[in-house]
């Protein structure tokens, strides 16, 4: 079942709430779409879904994550620490959508005021009919702070590099899980 946060609590820094669910992505943003093959079978799918929705995959990729709940739920606020040492930036997000389905597990979060970017990012684990498990990142974003505007074309490159790292990390976590 997919749940989308109602628009009555609009605290996001962009108007296209939930737009990572559909194509095409909104104009005026940088777009990201990346898929990583995770493995095969129900056990791998469930292990990857758990690692993703509890932020274990993000943490194992080197991010500092502060979340209100253990597993993601619509309306939960999340803070992701980006950077190193004194150059760390805390990026505040709001979970706008979750999916806990038989062939799709994941979530999307959107940026809140003060985030370095403005936009939305979706993280999904998908299982194909043949049992192949994929991790998919879909995002649209644009600079929201002076330092991300200054970063220009480097920022989308870094976002893609992180999506690739997160996919490799999720593959490692899911295939190392008992039963996978």
């Amino acid at each position: 079942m997919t749940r989308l946060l109602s628009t009555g609590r609009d605290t996001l820094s962009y108007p296209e709430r939930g737009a990572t669910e559909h194509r095409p992505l909104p104009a005026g943003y940088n777009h990201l779409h990346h898929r990583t093959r995770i493995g095969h079978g129900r056990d791998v799918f469930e292990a990857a879904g758990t690692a993703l929705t509890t932020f274990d995959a993000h943490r194992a990729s080197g991010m500092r994550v502060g979340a209100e709940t253990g597993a993601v739920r619509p309306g939960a606020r999340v803070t992701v620490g980006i950077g190193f040492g004194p150059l760390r930036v805390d990026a505040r997000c709001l979970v706008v959508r979750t999916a806990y389905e038989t062939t799709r597990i994941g979530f999307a979060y959107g940026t809140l005021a003060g985030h370095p970017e403005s936009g939305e990012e979706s993280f999904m684990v998908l299982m194909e009919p043949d049992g192949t498990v994929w991790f998919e990142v879909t995002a649209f974003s644009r600079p929201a702070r002076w330092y991300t505007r200054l970063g220009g074309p480097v920022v989308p490159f870094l976002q893609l590099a992180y999506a690739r790292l997160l996919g490799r990390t999720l593959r490692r976590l899911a295939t190392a899980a008992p039963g996978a």
Side-chain angles (χ1 to χ4, degrees), residues 98-177:
T98 60
Y100 291 96
E101 302 168 7
T102 57
T103 61
R104 187 171 77 142
I105 299 173
F107 66 96
Y109 57 38
T111 59
L112 295 171
H115 193 290
E117 294 281 307
S118 176
E120 188 173 292
E121 195 162 20
S122 168
F123 306 92
M124 291 288 161
V125 175
L126 309 166
M127 190 163 74
E128 299 289 333
D130 69 355
T132 304
V133 179
W134 294 90
F135 170 61
E136 183 175 84
V137 178
T138 304
F140 61 92
S141 63
R142 60 182 167 216
R145 306 293 292 239
W146 68 267
Y147 49 88
T148 49
R149 284 190 288 279
L150 184 65
V154 173
V155 174
F157 171 77
L158 294 174
Q159 289 172 325
L160 176 59
Y162 182 67
R164 289 177 174 161
L165 172 63
L166 191 57
R168 289 190 306 271
T169 302
L170 192 57
R171 180 188 310 126
R172 180 177 46 81
L173 292 173
T175 57

Side-chain angles (χ1 to χ4, degrees), residues 60-127:
S61 295
M63 299 301 258
R64 184 178 63 199
V65 179
E68 295 175 337
T69 60
V72 294
R73 62 174 174 70
R77 293 181 189 279
V78 179
T79 301
V80 180
I82 300 168
F84 303 97
L87 299 177
R88 183 172 298 276
V89 174
D90 285 335
R92 296 175 43 240
C93 302
L94 181 73
V95 176
V96 297
R97 177 171 51 91
T98 60
Y100 291 96
E101 302 168 7
T102 57
T103 61
R104 187 171 77 142
I105 299 173
F107 66 96
Y109 57 38
T111 59
L112 295 171
H115 193 290
E117 294 281 307
S118 176
E120 188 173 292
E121 195 162 20
S122 168
F123 306 92
M124 291 288 161
V125 175
L126 309 166
M127 190 163 74

